[in-house]
Amino acid sequence: MTTSVGRLSQLTRLADTAVALARHSTHGRVLVVRDLGTAGVERAVAMHAKLTKHDLQVRVLGPPEVIESAHRIGPTAALVIDLSSQGVGEADLLAAHLNIPLLAVDDEYSFLPQVDIAVVERTSDAIALRSSAHHDAALAQVAVSPLGPWSAIIMRLEDQIVHLRDAEIRVRRRHGFLEIDVSGPTGLRRYRGHRCRLEPVGGCFAVARDGLQRGELHGPLLLQVYARRFTAHLHRP
């Protein structure tokens, strides 16, 4: 069982490492991803206080804020500290998207008795959007929605060709694959693959990335899952 003293000691060790990493960066801003709930808020407040003592700028994000914020933060951060529960994954997405190190507590790796921190390479999936009007990446989801009736689109997925009419298309990434939900007059259909090409042949469609509108689809759109690499500094529990 982890005591309150143990938790504070863990936060202190993370903060000390964060200060050392931030000093080697051209940016001094640290992003902290917290858990939901009172305990998550308390840990984030304690980490914020420890880092600001060293003149670091700190921004705390709850899991629902991470994906939306990632597209707005830009190249102004030094590292991400993950204070969330293991397996949540938002902090990994943020570090990979911003191409900055992640600092976390993780018992996945075996440490030598004298080693407290392991520096490893991790990957996090994203979705690339490529067309004449889009050169973008989505962290979580791409949506292609008809803007009126009588819309038609051709979906080419691996070796499949699917003709869709009046369909809402939602694309997510999961374990190296695209997971595609198509909602239309005949109900919900699901597909899976590494790359998908959408070709509008009638009507107008809107394209959204991670919930944000990115414009209309006027030509073929290629969606492809790819792995982004980032460096993780992992403390033992």
Side-chain angles (χ1 to χ4, degrees):
M1 182 176 180
T2 304
T3 65
S4 59
V5 174
R7 288 195 294 270
L8 290 174
S9 174
Q10 187 181 90
L11 287 178
T12 299
R13 289 186 290 123
L14 286 173
D16 290 345
T17 303
V19 170
L21 290 173
R23 284 174 178 162
H24 288 86
S25 172
T26 56
H27 304 290
R29 193 178 189 189
V30 177
L31 307 174
V32 177
V33 179
R34 65 167 175 83
D35 258 334
L36 296 174
T38 303
V41 172
E42 290 176 349
R43 281 169 54 83
V45 168
M47 177 62 74
H48 186 282
K50 291 177 183 295
L51 296 177
T52 52
K53 284 182 180 179
H54 295 273
D55 298 323
L56 294 177
Q57 298 178 31
V58 184
R59 180 173 179 183
V60 177
L61 300 169
E65 304 171 83
V66 170
I67 290 173
E68 180 184 353
S69 299
H71 295 293
R72 299 199 311 261
I73 290 171
T76 61
L79 73 150
V80 177
I81 301 178
D82 186 7
L83 297 184
S84 66
S85 302
Q86 276 191 317
V88 173
E90 278 84 357
D92 285 26
L93 283 172
L94 187 59
H97 179 70
L98 298 176
N99 193 29
I100 57 178
L102 173 78
L103 177 59
V105 174
D106 197 324
D107 58 3
E108 178 182 351
Y109 297 90
S110 299
F111 297 94
L112 297 174
Q114 70 272 24
V115 175
D116 287 324
I117 305 175
V119 181
V120 301
E121 185 180 77
R122 278 185 169 178
T123 60
S124 183
D125 291 338
I127 304 172
L129 294 80
R130 300 291 182 265
S131 74
S132 59
H134 300 89
H135 189 83
D136 207 346
L139 279 72
Q141 178 180 271
V142 176
V144 177
S145 310
L147 293 175
W150 308 109
S151 61
I153 198 166
I154 296 174
M155 180 174 70
R156 301 180 187 273
L157 178 67
E158 311 296 350
D159 58 350
Q160 300 181 69
I161 299 177
V162 185
H163 295 263
L164 304 171
R165 182 174 289 280
D166 299 331
E168 177 92 14
I169 302 169
R170 303 273 179 178
V171 183
R172 300 175 179 86
R173 87 283 177 278
R174 183 175 175 83
H175 302 315
F177 286 89
L178 298 176
E179 293 191 339
I180 304 166
D181 288 351
V182 177
S183 302
T186 59
L188 175 65
R189 286 178 283 173
R190 288 181 170 163
Y191 303 87
R192 193 167 186 256
H194 290 100
R195 52 188 287 144
C196 171
R197 181 180 172 93
L198 301 174
E199 302 173 4
V201 293
C204 297
F205 296 84
V207 179
R209 178 260 285 140
D210 294 327
L212 300 175
Q213 294 296 324
R214 303 298 291 168
E216 293 186 13
L217 182 64
H218 297 292
L221 173 66
L222 178 64
L223 304 175
Q224 186 169 357
V225 68
Y226 71 105
R228 287 178 163 177
R229 292 177 173 81
F230 62 98
T231 301
H233 298 253
L234 305 177
H235 275 263
R236 68 165 76 203

